[in-house]
Amino acid sequence: MNFKEELKQKQQHIEQLLMKYLPKTNTQYNQLVIDAMQYSLMAGGKRIRPIFMYEAYRMCQGSKEAINAFMSAIEMIHTSSLIHDDLPAMDNDDLRRGMPTCHIKYREDIAILAGDALLNCAFEIMIEKAVSDPDINLIKAMRAVARASGTNGMIGGQVADVLNENKPIDLDCLNYIHLNKTSAMIEGSFMAGALLAGASDEIVEDFRRIGRDIGLAFQIQDDVLDVTSTQEILGKPINSDLKNQKTTYVTLKGIDESIRIVNELLEDAIDLLKKFKDIDSQFMVKFVEYLKTRES
Ligand code: GRG
């Protein structure tokens, strides 16, 4: 099977899990929020965070069924952040993953609730696993996910991002935003996968660094794609950073230097992955190579 086929298969598997873990209802009263959750969750993202989590888990020889719930949880938290990021109070975008954003389709009030509900659901399904299998590794993995998405992670990065719209910022501040808004969840995905598999602190730290490099590269690439891609390919409006007067790697470093930094960070991640040469890290190496050329 070639890389693209393997990637598609993994994405399809994750989508089956997401459907399984989405809450069900037996009443009409809360049906709309479940529809809105499903709409955004199943709108066709790349599913990179659960894939990274699974690869770290597999490379650490994990054998816990809980990985399925944790992979679903990280994608639910990611989707909840996208729903909130698109709201009028934040980026005010109409298009996401090539479809109308949640608040355009379901109204702003329901979109806010759908984002909240996905976040809650993520923690509920992880806690459910920890209750049925009270293993400290599950709790540690849950803590990694909570930290990644919290005040000193994604939310912290988003706060700095919104507070610094419409004003020039330096590289230090921009790196804080990128490393927290985007890298933290990618680092958290790798770390949670390794922790679930019971990996040592040293290995968990290796995966954290792999996630940091990939996450920063991923966000710098987003900055570049925002000015070089098209709405059709990206599935969301281009020039969004310009519209919101955001400082990005492109405005601070230019397109060519930004692309060079992306490639350097991804090469660093590949070097770290080489430590795992005795076990099968081939898919991850190919994934990082693919990220160099991603178009959306
Ligand atoms: C819900 C806990 C919680 C917080 C909300 C709004 C917010 C706080 C955070 C926004 C974070 C954000 C939107 C970061 C951008 C990260 C990013 C690069 C998103 C795009 O990720 P892809 O390309 O998207 O993986 P797909 O659509 O493929 O899943």
Side-chain angles (χ1 to χ4, degrees):
M1 204 185 324
N2 68 31
F3 169 74
K4 283 274 162 72
E5 287 164 353
E6 207 176 340
L7 179 60
K8 183 110 207 106
Q9 207 175 66
K10 286 178 193 288
Q11 288 166 332
Q12 282 169 349
H13 173 62
I14 290 161
E15 274 154 24
Q16 284 164 5
L17 293 176
L18 292 173
M19 283 308 291
K20 175 178 157 194
Y21 282 109
L22 255 176
K24 316 280 178 289
T25 185
N26 54 7
T27 158
Q28 57 170 321
Y29 295 115
N30 63 359
Q31 185 62 53
L32 193 61
V33 79
I34 295 178
D35 291 348
M37 291 160 81
Q38 176 168 339
Y39 172 79
S40 289
L41 197 58
M42 303 313 289
K46 294 181 287 298
R47 319 300 186 193
I48 64 165
R49 293 155 192 83
I51 291 176
F52 290 153
M53 188 187 282
Y54 184 76
E55 286 305 303
Y57 166 84
R58 195 184 53 75
M59 287 164 67
C60 296
Q61 279 109 43
S63 61
K64 285 222 172 274
E65 194 264 333
I67 184 69
N68 290 335
F70 277 69
M71 285 161 70
S72 305
I74 199 83
E75 187 66 17
M76 286 182 185
I77 298 173
H78 166 62
T79 302
S80 88
S81 81
L82 299 182
I83 294 174
H84 284 186
D85 190 51
D86 291 333
L87 288 170
M90 300 234 190
D91 277 0
N92 193 18
D93 280 325
D94 292 354
L95 202 66
R96 166 75 67 179
R97 294 172 166 174
M99 291 162 76
T101 45
C102 196
H103 64 276
I104 295 291
K105 174 94 178 161
Y106 286 94
R107 292 196 337 212
E108 192 176 350
D109 46 7
I110 297 298
I112 293 170
L113 291 166
D116 292 343
L118 279 169
L119 181 60
N120 232 73
C121 181
F123 282 94
E124 187 180 339
I125 64 181
M126 288 187 292
I127 291 167
E128 206 65 67
K129 288 292 162 194
V131 167
S132 58
D133 177 10
D135 172 349
I136 188 69
N137 292 328
L138 265 74
I139 312 284
K140 285 184 181 171
M142 218 152 49
R143 182 176 65 185
V145 171
R147 283 180 174 164
S149 50
T151 324
N152 286 312
M154 178 174 66
I155 291 180
Q158 180 75 356
V159 169
D161 194 17
V162 299
L163 291 180
N164 286 291
E165 277 181 12
N166 309 318
K167 57 172 104 138
I169 54 170
D170 61 16
L171 190 60
D172 203 46
C173 181
L174 183 63
N175 278 335
Y176 175 84
I177 293 171
H178 284 10
L179 285 170
N180 286 282
K181 188 180 88 166
T182 304
S183 282
M185 284 284 281
I186 294 179
E187 278 177 47
S189 303
F190 278 110
M191 290 168 77
L195 285 163
L196 269 181
S200 67
D201 290 350
E202 191 200 331
I203 299 288
V204 174
E205 173 59 16
D206 285 337
F207 276 110
R208 193 196 63 74
R209 288 171 60 202
I210 292 170
R212 180 195 181 279
D213 287 343
I214 293 178
L216 185 55
F218 195 81
Q219 185 56 57
I220 299 172
Q221 238 170 352
D222 249 36
D223 294 354
V224 172
L225 291 172
D226 188 58
V227 294
T228 59
S229 189
T230 63
Q231 178 165 302
E232 289 67 41
I233 294 176
L234 221 45
K236 60 181 182 179
I238 56 162
N239 296 320
S240 158
D241 296 328
L242 191 66
K243 181 188 90 179
N244 294 312
Q245 292 183 293
K246 284 189 185 174
T247 303
T248 68
Y249 260 74
V250 173
T251 55
L252 288 184
K253 301 266 184 193
I255 294 177
D256 290 348
E257 177 61 4
S258 298
I259 294 173
R260 193 196 63 73
I261 296 170
V262 166
N263 288 330
E264 190 175 77
L265 285 164
L266 293 177
E267 278 306 316
D268 285 351
I270 291 175
D271 281 346
L272 286 164
L273 282 166
K274 285 189 181 143
K275 184 167 177 180
F276 298 91
K277 64 180 181 326
D278 293 342
I279 52 174
D280 184 6
S281 58
Q282 260 185 29
F283 178 80
M284 257 320 296
V285 172
K286 283 191 206 149
F287 200 119
V288 179
E289 292 289 353
Y290 149 80
L291 287 179
K292 284 186 188 167
T293 58
R294 82 180 171 101
E295 292 180 327
S296 66

